[in-house]
Amino acid sequence: MAEFHSKIKTIEWVDNYSKMVDQTLLPYEFKYVNITSGQAMFDAIRTMIVRGAPAIGVAGAHGVVLYAQEIEKENLPREDFINKLLEKADYMATSRPTAVNLMWAVKKQKDVIKNSESDIAGIVQELKQNAIMLENEDIAINKKIGDYGAQVVPKGATILTHCNAGGLATVGYGTALGVVRSAFANDPTIQVFADETRPRQQGARITTLELTMDGIPTTLITDGMCSYFMKKGMIDMVVVGADRIAANGDTANKIGTYTVAIAAKYHNIPFYVAAPLSTIDTSIKTGDEIVIEERSHEEVTHINGKIICSPDVNVINPGFDVTPHELIAGIITEKGILRADYNKSIAEAFR
Ligand code: MRU
């Protein structure tokens, strides 16, 4: 089993390349890979070497720097350099469609390019500095989310989470698991139930690894078990991450989250979303406008390279679902916990 500690950086800019944990290898191997070209970053995001909305955002920002370094070598006139780089940035933003942090971070880099008054070498430097700033900011934001969230965790609570919204889904510390970490620091009697999260098993492969390495008591359950444990009174609250939140609070997160939210509502268990403001897309009114990523059928039909079903069966594999805002007790952000009416509280948070 791989060794992981929450103080580790999931993704980091080093000299002239991006260094990241290869999450496809977890939990067997904890290995860093160096991503040295723009196309390699696009592929790393698409194939989920790096995953989790905030980590994907930082990866996208790094990807723009990698493209800038490549285009710099072509010795183009400044205007042509800028136009080519802006095109590559737009391409980078298409590597995964649902997590809005990717588009958000790429836009931050595009703003640097458009507003810079420097020569080409200067623009590349400014892009690097901005990427490193986004990295550092991410950890600080997660700690704030964790501390706000810890205030609503009851003493000795059992917290259910879905997928992995932890240190490995961010630069470090985590959003939903940031709440768990901050709560555990105050109250070591809390514990976590982690959904395994089919089909990519982020809950089993990554969440259980992160939490047990930090000594946080964790129980792994399969996705279909949540209502069973809720009915038995064994779950006190749910905290999940988010990939995109609409202006009305509707929240896209890993497929299966919606089912957990419905079960929580039925059993009167508070269901919280923990996410930075960069996950909120105020340009869309409701979750109906969120593009849901369709992923390869093989993720469903195969486990560890082995087929687990009839080869002739039909398959559909949406990567995310949208939890309607009325099922959400609060959205835990770096600016505090937003409550319904979300149209108002979200607009307020951006003021
Ligand atoms: O497909 P993934 O693994 O990138 O999906 C991750 C999630 O759904 C997370 O819950 C979300 O990105 C929030 S991460 C802090």
Side-chain angles (χ1 to χ4, degrees):
M1 283 281 168
E3 287 215 8
F4 174 78
H5 196 274
S6 62
K7 286 176 186 68
I8 264 159
K9 265 190 157 184
T10 301
I11 175 164
E12 185 172 17
W13 184 263
V14 183
D15 301 328
N16 56 357
Y17 60 88
S18 178
K19 179 179 161 193
M20 62 176 68
V21 177
D22 183 344
Q23 300 196 38
T24 62
L25 303 177
L26 296 172
Y28 308 111
E29 239 185 292
F30 188 87
K31 195 175 137 191
Y32 283 100
V33 281
N34 297 337
I35 305 294
T36 57
S37 75
Q39 184 59 48
M41 182 60 87
F42 184 97
D43 296 339
I45 296 171
R46 179 155 278 185
T47 60
M48 294 169 68
I49 288 174
V50 59
R51 44 139 310 272
I56 295 171
V58 171
H62 286 187
V64 176
V65 187
L66 291 167
Y67 271 131
Q69 292 180 158
E70 285 164 40
I71 303 169
E72 185 185 17
K73 292 191 187 122
E74 294 176 24
N75 292 319
L76 298 172
R78 188 177 183 279
E79 204 186 319
D80 295 353
F81 168 86
I82 287 178
N83 290 336
K84 190 160 181 187
L85 185 53
L86 290 174
E87 252 176 50
K88 289 292 188 187
D90 287 339
Y91 169 69
M92 187 61 65
T94 63
S95 49
R96 283 192 83 185
T98 305
V100 76
N101 304 64
L102 172 61
M103 298 78 190
W104 173 88
V106 167
K107 184 180 175 301
K108 292 255 170 209
Q109 291 292 56
K110 284 176 72 178
D111 289 345
V112 168
I113 301 165
K114 287 180 192 162
N115 297 330
S116 177
E117 288 175 359
S118 309
D119 60 8
I120 291 178
I123 297 176
V124 177
Q125 279 314 313
E126 286 165 22
L127 287 169
K128 268 186 207 176
Q129 282 159 9
N130 196 45
I132 293 167
M133 201 264 294
L134 292 175
E135 264 172 52
N136 295 333
E137 203 180 71
D138 183 68
I139 298 179
I141 286 171
N142 291 338
K143 291 205 166 138
K144 281 190 190 158
I145 291 173
D147 292 344
Y148 279 119
Q151 294 170 11
V152 289
V153 176
K155 182 147 182 45
T158 298
I159 304 169
L160 185 134
T161 193
H162 190 75
C163 193
N164 172 263
L168 282 158
T170 60
V171 178
Y173 205 69
T175 56
L177 298 192
V179 173
V180 167
R181 288 198 163 93
S182 294
F184 185 73
N186 302 332
D187 173 13
T189 67
I190 67 153
Q191 59 167 317
V192 172
F193 270 43
D195 281 352
E196 71 170 338
T197 319
R198 274 284 284 152
R200 291 288 292 241
Q201 323 280 24
Q202 292 94 328
R205 294 191 302 110
I206 306 173
T207 294
T208 67
L209 187 69
E210 268 199 54
L211 293 179
T212 55
M213 291 292 172
D214 270 7
I216 300 173
T218 304
T219 302
L220 175 64
I221 61 172
T222 66
D223 294 351
M225 292 178 187
C226 73
S227 319
Y228 174 84
F229 290 112
M230 286 177 179
K231 178 142 197 247
K232 279 183 164 288
M234 290 170 68
I235 308 294
D236 300 298
M237 71 186 292
V238 178
V239 187
V240 297
D243 283 80
R244 193 184 294 235
I245 301 171
N248 72 344
D250 292 351
T251 294
N253 191 49
K254 182 51 54 195
I255 192 78
T257 303
Y258 181 27
T259 310
V260 175
I262 293 169
K265 187 75 169 181
Y266 184 79
H267 294 97
N268 277 321
I269 294 165
F271 176 97
Y272 284 94
V273 170
L277 291 181
S278 53
T279 304
I280 303 180
D281 182 355
T282 51
S283 75
I284 56 169
K285 289 199 178 90
T286 77
D288 292 344
E289 293 172 66
I290 299 175
V291 178
I292 300 295
E293 177 179 16
E294 270 292 331
R295 294 196 57 90
S296 114
H297 292 177
E298 231 180 84
E299 289 185 345
V300 178
T301 56
H302 288 63
I303 293 183
N304 286 341
K306 261 199 160 175
I307 192 155
I308 55 151
C309 56
S310 157
D312 303 320
V313 75
N314 294 327
V315 178
I316 313 179
N317 184 20
F320 300 91
D321 57 27
V322 177
T323 298
H325 59 91
E326 59 269 22
L327 301 183
I328 300 171
I331 301 174
I332 306 165
T333 74
E334 67 271 32
K335 283 213 180 160
I337 303 180
L338 313 183
R339 305 275 185 183
D341 172 342
Y342 291 112
N343 275 309
K344 281 195 190 141
S345 57
I346 287 175
E348 186 66 32
F350 277 90
R351 240 171 246 144

